[in-house]
Amino acid sequence: MVKNNHHTMINKSEREQIIALINREVVPAIGCTEPIAVALCVAKATEALGCRPEKIQALLSANILKNAMGVGIPGTGMIGLPIAIALGALIGKSEYQLEVLKDSTPEAVEEGKKLIDAQAINIGLKYGIEEKLYIEIICEAEGKKATAIISGGHTNFVYVARGEEVMLNKQASSSHEASDDDIELTLRKVYDFAMESPIEELKFILETRNLNKKAAERSFQGNYGHQLGKTLNSKKNENLMMGDNTFTHILSYTSAACDARMAGAMIPVMSNSGSGNQGITATLPVVVYAEDNHKSEEELTRALALSHLTVIYIKQSLGRLSALCGCVVAATGSSCGITYLMGGGYEQVTYAVKNMIANITGMICDGAKPSCALKLTSGVSTAVLSAILAMEGKCVTSVEGIIDDDVDRSIRNLTRIGSQGMNETDKLVLDIMTNKRCN
């Protein structure tokens, strides 16, 4: 492995902090995390109410609405928020976090449809808030009322009240959990952490492989979404255009897991920074490359740690929900992991990141839906390309576009475009999406 001279050893307490951060951000999720977070909030409000709600009002930020409109809800065969909200009230358990709908049954789904038909559920935009991830649920029954609010993170409750009795109030503090901001990450620190931590401390990251690979393999068995993974995996394609090679395997596994997830399959995946698709994209290209090239378990472990922590680092300045498709960020992580597995050192990893940012920055997010599989495939094909170029010593330079000599500044340029520059785009996308559905 190429070693870079000017790095610092990361001390044990900082390593522990970073491991805690990864464990907080890389968690199992069943179903798309936005409607599931809404269901989680409904479950909490229902628990506070203490009985089955007769009326449920959901006030959501535009980005939550956008990501919940077109996506399948696991175990229901249905799309969108109303059934997620109904099930959150009927069978949701808040302690299950992002697996809140785990206990769903066909009977519960039928009950849920009745709740929807009775027009018990009212969904609207929450106006006058800055936070892009905001969910407020008000449940009413028998003259009682309970409210729950999630803000800043998919499972981050900031307010719970039953009638006048406030059970939780963290609204005064900032919407982001303070502990996230304790760790000042840089790409160098991310790389050193993944390379130098004792391997036992990183073993937990292999669970991302186990869950996400299983999701892809289950997807090959069924017919989910646009069946992109299956199409790329099928024998007829191999002999024609794409060939039976690592590149095609990477694309087919990544898109297959996404096909199943966005179609609402009851399959858990390991998410990253509140997104299952980001978790899939950060994991599967690295796993497939390592397995096809007979890399050791230690190498795979370090590559996955590098990939996932890179995604967490970039998302810290981008925010959880943005106008920028999360696959851009997640594929940048997997490009780093692949570059390392190809034998690259820190310098090559920085090249890969710059090549990614120079290429697919600006891909819009138009909500969570089956066609996300197409975007994931664009992201990971670019990831492979960026890694190959990086290993050839080829890198987009600072005289070109938004790339800076400093890789962390290049990342900041990406996240500024995603979090500030694309806000107008976001409004327009939402406008297009909401208007066509009413026509």
Side-chain angles (χ1 to χ4, degrees), residues 290-367:
E291 288 180 356
D292 276 12
N293 290 281
H294 312 296
K295 295 292 174 187
S296 69
E297 184 154 284
E298 170 163 351
E299 287 171 307
L300 172 60
T301 304
R302 293 196 184 283
L304 284 171
L306 175 60
S307 177
H308 279 279
L309 189 56
T310 299
V311 179
I312 292 167
Y313 164 46
I314 300 176
K315 289 292 284 189
Q316 278 184 339
S317 60
L318 180 64
R320 297 202 172 245
L321 296 178
S322 75
L324 182 76
C325 173
C327 88
V328 174
V329 176
T332 301
S334 55
S335 190
C336 295
I338 291 169
T339 302
Y340 158 72
L341 289 173
M342 287 176 165
Y346 177 67
E347 191 177 17
Q348 286 76 25
V349 167
T350 67
Y351 290 178
V353 171
K354 291 179 187 179
N355 293 341
M356 287 298 290
I357 294 170
N359 191 342
I360 51 172
T361 295
M363 189 193 290
I364 62 166
C365 168
D366 56 341

Side-chain angles (χ1 to χ4, degrees), residues 234-278:
S234 70
K235 291 286 169 257
K236 66 175 189 289
N237 261 313
E238 285 174 1
N239 311 328
L240 294 169
M241 186 79 87
M242 300 290 281
D244 180 8
N245 54 44
T246 300
F247 182 59
T248 309
H249 298 164
I250 284 174
L251 300 188
S252 68
Y253 269 78
T254 305
S255 50
C258 181
D259 284 330
R261 190 165 172 277
M262 292 286 105
M266 263 301 210
I267 302 172
V269 299
M270 197 64 96
S271 67
N272 182 312
S273 306
S275 157
N277 283 344
Q278 278 167 201

Side-chain angles (χ1 to χ4, degrees), residues 14-149:
E14 192 167 24
R15 279 207 316 273
E16 283 168 359
Q17 264 189 309
I18 293 174
I19 289 166
L21 173 66
I22 298 174
N23 274 314
R24 207 160 51 237
E25 296 292 1
V26 178
V27 296
I30 298 178
C32 174
T33 48
E34 276 75 45
I36 295 301
V38 175
L40 173 63
C41 202
V42 173
K44 184 72 112 181
T46 302
E47 287 159 8
L49 190 66
C51 63
R52 179 171 158 175
E54 292 155 13
K55 271 174 51 192
I56 306 169
Q57 187 180 18
L59 296 170
L60 312 172
S61 59
N63 286 69
I64 289 281
L65 211 54
K66 180 176 81 172
N67 278 350
M69 277 164 51
V71 68
I73 306 301
T76 65
M78 293 167 73
I79 275 176
L81 276 167
I83 191 67
I85 289 172
L87 288 174
L90 295 170
I91 54 95
K93 290 195 176 60
S94 66
E95 75 255 29
Y96 289 167
Q97 301 275 344
L98 291 176
E99 297 178 278
V100 56
L101 300 184
K102 200 155 59 167
D103 296 342
S104 182
T105 60
E107 296 76 50
V109 174
E110 286 314 306
E111 277 294 293
K113 287 179 185 165
K114 285 184 198 148
L115 253 186
I116 296 168
D117 293 340
Q119 301 194 318
I121 296 168
N122 183 341
I123 301 165
L125 263 177
K126 176 77 176 182
Y127 292 100
I129 47 160
E130 286 290 292
E131 178 56 57
K132 289 183 178 176
L133 198 167
Y134 182 91
I135 301 163
E136 180 175 333
I137 302 292
I138 300 145
C139 288
E140 295 178 57
E142 302 160 12
K144 294 186 297 188
K145 192 166 108 169
T147 305
I149 299 174

Side-chain angles (χ1 to χ4, degrees), residues 223-228 258-260 262-263 370-371:
N223 293 315
Y224 296 105
H226 299 292
Q227 296 175 41
L228 182 59
C258 181
D259 284 330
M262 292 286 105
S371 62

Side-chain angles (χ1 to χ4, degrees), residues 11 27 53 74 101 127 167 171 182 194 216 257 371 394 420:
N11 65 42
V27 296
L101 300 184
Y127 292 100
M167 299 145 96
Q171 282 178 306
D182 295 348
S371 62
K394 305 270 190 289
Q420 297 161 33

